């Protein structure tokens, strides 16, 4: 390895077409790689780079281009299948301080795949790390593709035209636009990479054994039984046919193209299979084989090598140790799973980390009559994760709601960011196991969460995610979201033919904070006409946002079988959600189902619940989500008196020694002053509150708020949000604690200056976000009264973070 080689700059990235590439700094021994790369370039690409014909590189040029110092002269290359396909470099300019000249070169066959933009992101991050503040690029006017890369990056840019050449000057300080551009490109690339997995035109099953009930044969039979739209190729070292289908000795022997490979061989044979798939040009792998990270350190090393090798050849990996993937699209009909039961077509996308639990999940989904659009079981989640699937489902027109079963979070801050964006368009319902331990299952490529579980729930809530307690609640909420409209408020009407059931529903609603309109008890002799009249009346009532319809057979005599028909007819055009407890059935019963062309439930179908409490609880979850969705997201307000550059300079100076720093009071005061916050140790009385911002290793900057007294500490009455806070989130944070009434005028007391408290939260959150070296900043107490707020005392600890935040760092796979 070249001396001083910055291995932290290495990264696997997803390209715009969904393929992958490996980025790394160039090394002195890359001369031959560079020569071969250069020989594949067209004369036009060479001319655009060097402004003159240059048929080959001399030895001196090769030595110059590969001999970098990783400081003033830096070059990054992109490789696919071990071959160099692109290079970007910068060279510091002697006559311009903090400025470097940057240039790209992308192989013709790989142009248009997004290599230019992703290389710019990474070289810009490396440059900022080395103190470079500006890039200068000289581009020929005809080289529109490269000009577009610079102009669309989102950085502050200047342009001038001299002697037939365009000179672009880019300020490398991240801007709101550059962050948005980077996120949008990441979204498109990761979405496309999942689409390639879920819409294959052909599938190979490697390890398709002739043994009945074996893993390989099970996947093969499920693919065939599901009537997959394309060819399926069993791969077996000796058999000529498996399950009546011609088999091949290896993937390389298959005469036609293979898009997706399902790998079901022993763990120690997977590497060879991956290499064969790479040689065949396979686009994605589903590794159902076990024996990897879940077995311990040696298996984890094999798992990491599996992912590294696959990505190096442009492939994404689902698994290992997973159940598989499925797509119910009628043009695909993909069941590449081990599950014997696959639900029919529907509007729900489902992601599960657990392979073992996945079979039960799919079975329960089918039993409820709930249809799926797509299903992915990620197993050890070594590569493809729930974040990738959320990127895909955001744009998928077939998916109306998203379900997640999570055992760990690989990139929690990115997860929260994606959930917040997706949740504004489509609801996300999640079960997160491990509440009591916050641990990580063996084999998962993730770290344990350090925040308490109720804080994690608060951050999920901030992102609009519906976190439920268990799988039963997951399905209860899903069947409502899938087929009924969102409510516009929390006022519900209860219609029943049993006083007992009606009271249970009413009590549950009140306990969950819902407003119950006068209950309509039709009595045990109610028939279909009674239900029709009552339901029509509450649906027309502008003071009703949702309806709970309860129907149980009378204890004596029969019942009117037309009741579900009346409920279904009125629900179809109501525009308000209706849930039912119909004869104790659970799911989407045939009597309450609008049947689609495939026999599955369609939009407008009414979900039924075994008990009234279940129906009301599901409705309460959805009402809270709808309220979050209808509430404006807020904005990051302009805060006068902020000097971010000075704050960063102060912190860098204090951390020169390298280790953590417990700041002296005067240092803390100086840093806070950069954000317009003063310390007043002699401030008077008021309600004492405590504000903390901390750099969490999983979520990044997190702000917490609560009263500064023993009762609040005993009850752990603290609210949490991710920084930076919007104006709406700052207001919510104050009101999220149970003791908030003490600040808002409890029992006639004078309320505190809430606006001043909100502004202080905004400033503290901005400091925590701007300066990730602030490991923990504690303002305790802050005295709040009607005249304003005053910070009496502060404690500050500084420490180098593990790395840049995901939204500011260049795109990379874990």
């Amino acid at each position: 390895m070249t001396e001083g080689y910055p291995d932290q700059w290495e990264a696997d990235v997803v390209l715009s077409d969904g393929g992958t590439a490996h980025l790394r700094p160039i090394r002195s021994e890359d001369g031959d790689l560079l020569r071969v790369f250069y020989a594949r370039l067209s004369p036009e690409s060479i001319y655009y780079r060097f402004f003159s014909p240059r048929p080959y590189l001399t030895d001196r040029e090769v030595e110059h281009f590969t001999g970098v110092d990783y400081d003033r002269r830096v070059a990054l290359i992109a490789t696919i299948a071990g071959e160099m396909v692109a290079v970007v470099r910068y060279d510091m300019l002697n006559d311009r301080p903090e400025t470097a000249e940057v240039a790209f070169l992308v192989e013709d066959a790989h142009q248009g795949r997004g290599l230019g933009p992703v290389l710019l992101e990474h070289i810009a991050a490396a440059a900022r790390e080395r103190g470079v503040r500006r890039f200068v690029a000289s581009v020929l006017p005809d080289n529109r593709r490269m000009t577009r890369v610079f102009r669309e990056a989102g950085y502050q840019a200047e342009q001038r035209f001299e002697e037939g050449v365009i000179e672009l000057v880019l300020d490398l300080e991240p801007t709101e636009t550059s962050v948005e551009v980077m996120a949008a490109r990441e979204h498109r690339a990761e979405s496309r990479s999942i689409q390639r997995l879920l819409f294959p035109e052909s599938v190979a099953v490697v390890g398709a054994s002739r043994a009945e009930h074996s893993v390989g044969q099970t996947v093969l039979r499920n693919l065939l039984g599901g009537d997959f739209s394309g060819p399926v190729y069993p791969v077996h070292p000796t058999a000529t046919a498996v399950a009546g289908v011609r088999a091949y000795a290896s993937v390389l022997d298959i005469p036609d193209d293979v898009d997706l490979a399902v790998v079901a061989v022993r763990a120690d044979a997977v590497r060879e299979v991956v290499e064969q798939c790479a040689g065949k040009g396979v686009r994605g792998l589903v590794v159902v084989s076990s024996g990897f990270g879940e077995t311990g350190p040696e298996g984890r090393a094999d798992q990491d090598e599996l992912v590294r090798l696959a990505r190096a050849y442009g492939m994404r990996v689902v698994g290992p140790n997973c159940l598989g993937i499925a797509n119910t699209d009628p043009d695909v009909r993909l069941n590449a799973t081990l599950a014997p039961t696959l639900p029919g077509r529907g509007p729900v996308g489902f992601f599960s980390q657990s392979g073992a639990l996945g079979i039960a999940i799919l079975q329960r989904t089918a039993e409820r009559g709930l249809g799926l659009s797509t299903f992915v079981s990620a197993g050890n989640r070594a590569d493809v994760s729930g974040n990738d699937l959320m990127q895909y489902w955001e744009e998928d027109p077939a998916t109306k709601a998203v379900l997640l079963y999570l055992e760990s979070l690989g990139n929690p801050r990115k997860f929260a960011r994606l959930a917040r964006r997706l949740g504004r368009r489509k609801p996300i319902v999640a079960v997160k196991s491990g509440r009591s331990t916050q641990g990580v299952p063996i084999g998962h490529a993730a770290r344990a969460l350090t925040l308490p579980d109720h804080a994690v729930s608060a951050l999920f809530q901030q992102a609009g995610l519906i976190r439920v307690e268990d799988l039963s609640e997951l399905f209860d909420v899903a069947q409502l979201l899938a087929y009924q409209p969102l409510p516009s408020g929390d006022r519900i009407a209860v219609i029943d033919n049993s006083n007992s059931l009606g009271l249970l529903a009413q009590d549950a609603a009140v306990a969950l904070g819902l407003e119950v309109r006068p209950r309509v008890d039709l009595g045990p002799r109610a028939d279909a006409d009674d239900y029709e009249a009552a339901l029509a009346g509450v649906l027309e009532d502008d003071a009703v946002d949702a309806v709970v319809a309860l129907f149980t057979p009378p204890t004596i005599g029969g019942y009117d079988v037309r009741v579900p028909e009346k409920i279904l007819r009125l629900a179809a055009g109501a525009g308000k959600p209706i849930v039912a407890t119909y004869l104790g059935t659970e799911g989407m019963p045939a009597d309450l189902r609008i049947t689609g062309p495939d026999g599955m439930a369609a939009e407008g179908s009414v979900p039924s619940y075994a008990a009234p409490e279940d129906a009301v609880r599901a409705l309460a979850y959805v009402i809270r989500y709808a309220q979050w969705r209808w509430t404006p997201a807020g904005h990051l307000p302009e805060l006068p008196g902020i000097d971010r550059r000075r704050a960063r300079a102060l912190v860098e100076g204090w951390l020169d020694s390298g280790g953590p720093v417990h700041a002296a009071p005067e240092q803390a005061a100086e840093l806070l002053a950069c954000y317009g916050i003063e310390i007043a140790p002699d401030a008077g009385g008021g309600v004492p509150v405590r504000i903390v911002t901390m750099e969490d290793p999983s979520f990044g900057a997190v702000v917490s708020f609560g009263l500064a007294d023993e009762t609040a500490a005993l009850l752990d009455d603290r609210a949490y949000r991710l920084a930076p806070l919007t104006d709406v989130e700052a207001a919510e944070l104050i009101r999220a604690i149970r003791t908030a009434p003490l600040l808002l005028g409890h029992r006639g007391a004078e309320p505190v200056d809430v606006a001043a408290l909100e502004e202080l939260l905004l400033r503290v959150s901005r400091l925590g976000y701007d300066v990730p070296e602030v490991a923990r900043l504690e303002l305790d107490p802050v005295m709040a009264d009607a005249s304003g707020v005053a910070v009496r005392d502060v404690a500050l600890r500084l420490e180098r973070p593990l790395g840049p935040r995901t939204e500011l760092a260049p795109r990379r796979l874990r």
Side-chain angles (χ1 to χ4, degrees):
M1 188 72 70
T2 304
E3 185 178 355
Y5 181 83
D7 54 8
Q8 74 272 17
W9 293 347
E10 291 200 14
D12 293 325
V13 297
V14 183
L15 304 180
S16 59
D17 61 358
T20 59
H22 182 67
L23 305 188
R24 65 169 175 83
I26 203 165
R27 298 190 285 255
S28 58
E29 57 266 32
D30 287 330
D32 290 341
L33 205 62
L34 178 60
R35 287 187 179 91
V36 173
F37 160 71
Y38 195 86
R40 294 195 301 266
L41 296 172
S42 69
E44 182 184 50
S45 292
I46 293 172
Y47 185 81
Y48 280 155
R49 168 62 179 87
F50 296 105
F51 299 179
S52 64
R54 190 173 300 195
Y56 64 91
L57 294 177
T58 65
D59 291 345
R60 183 175 179 179
E61 288 171 329
V62 170
E63 182 180 356
H64 172 77
F65 289 137
T66 58
V68 296
D69 60 10
Y70 306 121
D71 182 17
R72 294 186 61 83
R73 298 182 62 248
V74 170
L76 303 178
I77 65 171
T79 65
I80 298 175
E83 294 290 336
M84 181 177 171
V85 296
V87 61
V88 61
R89 63 183 300 111
Y90 79 71
D91 293 86
M92 291 287 287
L93 298 176
N94 295 325
D95 57 343
R96 299 197 206 179
E98 300 182 330
T99 304
E101 185 174 17
V102 66
F104 291 88
L105 195 51
V106 179
E107 184 179 334
D108 297 71
H110 294 277
Q111 292 177 7
R113 301 187 66 196
L115 277 162
V118 77
L119 281 169
L120 178 59
E121 291 175 18
H122 283 259
I123 197 73
R128 288 192 296 268
E129 189 177 323
R130 294 298 191 250
V132 179
R133 297 290 173 258
R134 286 169 296 279
F135 274 163
V136 175
S138 298
V139 184
L140 290 173
D142 289 345
N143 193 356
R144 295 182 181 87
R145 189 189 297 271
M146 196 53 60
T147 304
R148 194 181 313 122
V149 169
F150 290 113
R151 286 176 174 166
E152 295 179 356
Y155 296 113
Q156 293 282 346
E158 298 177 6
Q159 175 181 324
R160 55 177 169 265
F161 187 79
E162 291 183 5
E163 299 180 359
V165 175
I166 298 172
E167 183 181 87
L168 294 166
V169 180
L170 276 69
D171 185 337
L172 298 184
E173 181 70 19
T175 66
E176 184 176 343
T177 302
S178 70
V179 173
E180 289 176 354
V181 167
M182 191 162 57
R185 287 171 172 162
E186 173 193 67
H187 166 65
R188 290 192 297 269
E190 292 183 0
S191 174
R192 177 61 179 147
S193 74
I194 298 303
Q195 184 182 42
R196 296 202 323 173
L197 289 167
L198 291 171
F199 285 82
E201 295 185 3
S202 56
V203 179
V205 181
V206 187
S209 171
R210 288 180 294 182
E212 192 173 0
H213 304 305
S214 64
V215 171
Q217 188 177 108
T218 299
V219 174
L220 177 64
R221 289 190 179 278
N222 288 343
L223 276 164
L224 298 173
D227 194 23
F228 173 61
S229 59
V232 178
Y233 304 105
V235 176
H236 188 283
T238 59
T240 57
V242 178
V245 180
R246 180 183 174 181
Y248 298 87
S250 85
V251 174
L252 295 172
D253 295 324
I254 298 173
D256 300 311
D257 292 338
V258 176
D259 286 339
L260 179 70
V262 182
V263 181
V265 300
R266 299 187 322 272
D268 59 5
V270 169
R271 180 187 177 97
E272 181 182 359
V273 171
V274 173
E275 291 173 341
Q276 292 173 354
C277 290
K280 184 63 180 174
V282 174
R283 292 184 166 190
L285 303 173
V286 176
V287 183
V288 298
S289 308
S290 58
F292 287 92
E294 76 279 6
T295 65
E298 187 175 337
R300 176 61 183 273
D302 291 339
Q303 179 173 296
D304 291 344
E305 177 62 14
L306 158 65
V307 174
R308 185 201 65 78
L309 187 63
R311 288 175 178 171
Y313 284 97
M315 296 180 287
R316 300 295 310 264
V317 179
V318 178
N321 190 33
C322 72
L323 185 70
I325 65 176
N327 184 355
T328 62
D329 189 300
D331 292 332
V332 182
R333 301 184 300 276
L334 174 72
N335 182 9
T337 77
L338 295 169
T341 303
L342 186 66
R345 183 69 168 166
V348 174
F350 207 134
F351 174 81
S352 170
Q353 288 179 348
S354 172
L357 191 61
I359 293 178
I361 286 174
L362 289 176
Q363 182 176 347
R364 291 180 67 177
T365 305
E367 289 171 353
R368 292 231 183 182
L370 187 64
L372 297 183
S373 59
T374 43
F375 171 82
V376 173
S377 162
N380 291 358
R381 207 206 59 225
D383 180 22
V384 169
S385 69
N387 287 352
D388 295 297
L389 268 297
M390 286 197 293
Q391 300 272 35
Y392 169 74
W393 281 322
E394 183 177 349
E395 304 299 333
D396 178 29
T399 300
K400 180 181 176 183
V402 169
L403 306 185
L404 306 173
Y405 175 77
L406 304 172
E407 295 176 325
S408 64
L409 294 172
N411 189 335
R413 189 170 181 89
K414 179 178 177 180
F415 174 81
R417 170 171 60 85
L418 296 180
R420 184 185 308 197
R421 192 179 69 205
L422 172 60
R424 290 289 172 185
R425 299 178 59 184
K426 302 176 183 181
I428 309 166
V429 192
V431 172
K432 168 71 171 67
S433 64
R435 280 181 177 270
S436 58
T437 64
Q438 295 292 74
V440 174
I442 297 174
H444 283 218
R447 64 164 61 96
L449 301 179
T450 56
L451 290 176
D453 187 68
H454 68 88
V456 175
S457 291
L459 299 184
F460 282 2
Q461 182 181 354
Q462 180 187 7
L465 186 141
I466 305 171
R467 185 180 185 183
V468 295
E469 296 293 326
D470 51 41
L471 289 175
S472 292
E473 289 190 357
L474 183 80
F475 291 115
D476 285 347
V477 175
Q479 64 191 36
L480 169 54
L481 291 170
Y483 303 108
Q484 287 290 303
L486 290 178
S488 56
D490 63 355
R491 302 164 300 178
I492 70 168
V494 177
I495 301 174
D496 65 77
N497 67 340
S498 163
N499 187 57
S500 298
L501 288 182
L503 287 173
L504 286 172
Q506 180 172 318
D507 289 345
V510 172
L512 290 167
L514 305 181
E515 180 183 340
V516 184
R517 307 300 296 165
R519 187 163 55 87
V520 183
D521 182 8
L522 300 176
R525 298 184 181 277
D527 60 14
D529 295 330
D530 296 324
Y531 266 90
E532 182 177 32
L535 189 56
V538 296
L539 288 175
E540 291 173 0
D541 187 351
D542 291 337
V544 172
D545 301 308
V547 180
V548 180
L550 311 175
F551 181 76
T552 186
T555 54
I556 299 176
Y559 63 89
D560 192 335
V561 296
R562 299 176 301 143
V563 168
E565 174 191 335
K566 301 292 187 181
I567 294 175
L568 196 59
R569 184 181 67 80
L570 289 171
K576 301 177 181 180
I578 298 177
V579 296
T581 294
Y582 174 68
L583 303 178
T585 56
E586 186 177 60
M588 310 302 300
D591 288 348
L592 290 174
R593 183 184 300 183
I594 294 177
T595 305
D598 56 356
M600 293 296 296
E603 187 170 353
S605 298
V606 177
S608 180
Y609 299 83
E613 301 93 329
D614 297 336
V616 173
R617 187 183 303 110
L619 191 56
Y621 276 122
V622 173
I623 286 172
R624 284 196 290 271
Y625 163 72
Q627 289 172 334
W628 173 86
R629 184 161 162 176
W630 307 144
T631 301
H635 66 283
L636 299 176
E638 290 292 331
L639 299 172
I642 288 182
D643 190 343
R644 180 176 179 269
R645 288 187 182 273
R646 174 164 172 73
R648 292 212 53 81
L650 288 173
V651 169
E652 287 295 331
W654 296 334
L655 284 172
D656 267 350
S657 59
V661 171
H662 291 272
E666 57 272 16
Q667 289 176 311
E670 191 174 5
L671 180 62
L672 288 173
C674 295
Y675 279 78
I677 303 171
E678 297 182 1
I679 299 177
D682 300 323
V687 181
V689 300
R690 178 169 171 262
I691 298 172
V692 177
T693 180
M694 53 191 170
E695 184 70 13
D696 182 78
S698 298
F699 286 96
V702 176
V703 178
S704 68
F705 174 80
L707 295 192
D709 61 25
E710 292 184 4
T711 302
L714 182 65
L715 298 175
D716 197 14
D717 185 19
R718 303 198 60 73
Y720 297 80
R721 296 291 187 273
L722 290 180
L725 298 175
T726 67
D727 53 349
V728 171
E729 290 166 343
E732 290 175 345
L733 188 57
I734 293 171
R735 294 159 177 81
I737 57 174
R738 297 192 294 278
T739 45
L742 296 176
L743 299 168
L744 305 176
H746 182 58
R747 292 186 175 179
E750 189 174 21
V752 306
D753 186 346
V754 176
L757 196 52
E758 290 174 1
E759 182 177 342
L760 179 59
L761 282 168
L762 289 168
R763 290 181 179 276
V764 170
S765 81
R766 194 72 59 84
L767 170 58
Y769 179 76
D770 288 348
V771 189
E773 292 82 3
V774 174
R776 185 177 181 88
L777 172 65
E778 187 170 332
L779 279 55
D780 183 14
V782 174
M783 306 308 297
D785 60 20
S787 63
V789 296
V791 180
R792 270 193 183 174
D793 197 10
V794 60
L796 171 64
R797 182 170 61 85
L798 303 171
E799 188 173 359
R800 297 284 183 191
L802 294 176
R805 296 210 180 94
T806 54
E807 64 267 40
L808 299 177
R811 291 173 283 156
R812 65 171 63 211
L813 293 169
R814 287 182 293 110

